[in-house]
Amino acid sequence: MTDAVENAGAVSPATGAARGATSVSDEVVEKIAGAAARAVPGVADLGGDVSRFFNSVLDKVGLDQVGDARRGVSADVKGGSVVINVVLVIDAGHVVTDVTEAVRAAVIEAVEKYGLTVTQVNVTVDDIELNQPGATAGA
């Protein structure tokens, strides 16, 4: 049989754009980026002083999972591109530039696996965690 006969009556699938649009919320990117940043060695916590304070209060009243997934991360998704800001606390004894570059690389890799293009990852070191086993006061 010829291709014309075999394909008679077949409807060519429309492209994705013709069937609707897909968007990814800022919150989704923030969760992905937060998980990636937390997995980097040398990252003690995410978020600034105020967010960590409120999180500790929530922990004490039994709401320990509220806000954890996105804390310390903000994202601005425009189309398929995203700018991500990460605020973190590093463990004492780790080199700041090593940790921040590892966070940047991990966040970019994790988010781009979802088909987005990361244009920037801005990392702010807000604090240092001194209460780690083996940490010295002079570190």
Side-chain angles (χ1 to χ4, degrees), residues 14-118:
T15 62
R19 292 188 177 191
T22 301
S23 62
V24 178
S25 74
D26 295 351
E27 181 180 358
V28 170
V29 173
E30 291 164 0
K31 287 180 178 181
I32 296 165
R38 280 183 183 85
V40 172
V43 173
D45 202 356
L46 294 181
D49 293 335
V50 174
S51 68
R52 290 191 325 270
F53 168 77
F54 282 116
N55 193 68
S56 70
V57 171
L58 291 171
D59 288 351
K60 289 176 183 168
V61 296
L63 299 173
D64 54 342
Q65 297 301 315
V66 175
D68 278 350
R70 297 174 35 206
R71 187 181 71 234
V73 181
S74 64
D76 184 20
V77 180
K78 292 197 181 353
S81 297
V82 61
V83 174
I84 302 167
N85 297 298
V86 181
V87 179
L88 57 86
V89 178
I90 63 168
D91 287 324
H94 288 268
V95 178
V96 172
T97 54
D98 292 348
V99 174
T100 58
E101 286 303 315
V103 166
R104 189 171 287 110
V107 167
I108 290 170
E109 180 181 352
V111 172
E112 289 190 343
K113 282 183 180 178
Y114 286 84
L116 296 167
T117 301
V118 177

Side-chain angles (χ1 to χ4, degrees), residues 92-94 128 130 134-139:
H94 288 268
I128 186 168
L130 296 175
T136 60

Side-chain angles (χ1 to χ4, degrees), residues 124-136:
T124 301
V125 177
D126 183 69
D127 204 351
I128 186 168
E129 177 63 52
L130 296 175
N131 299 328
Q132 295 297 312
T136 60

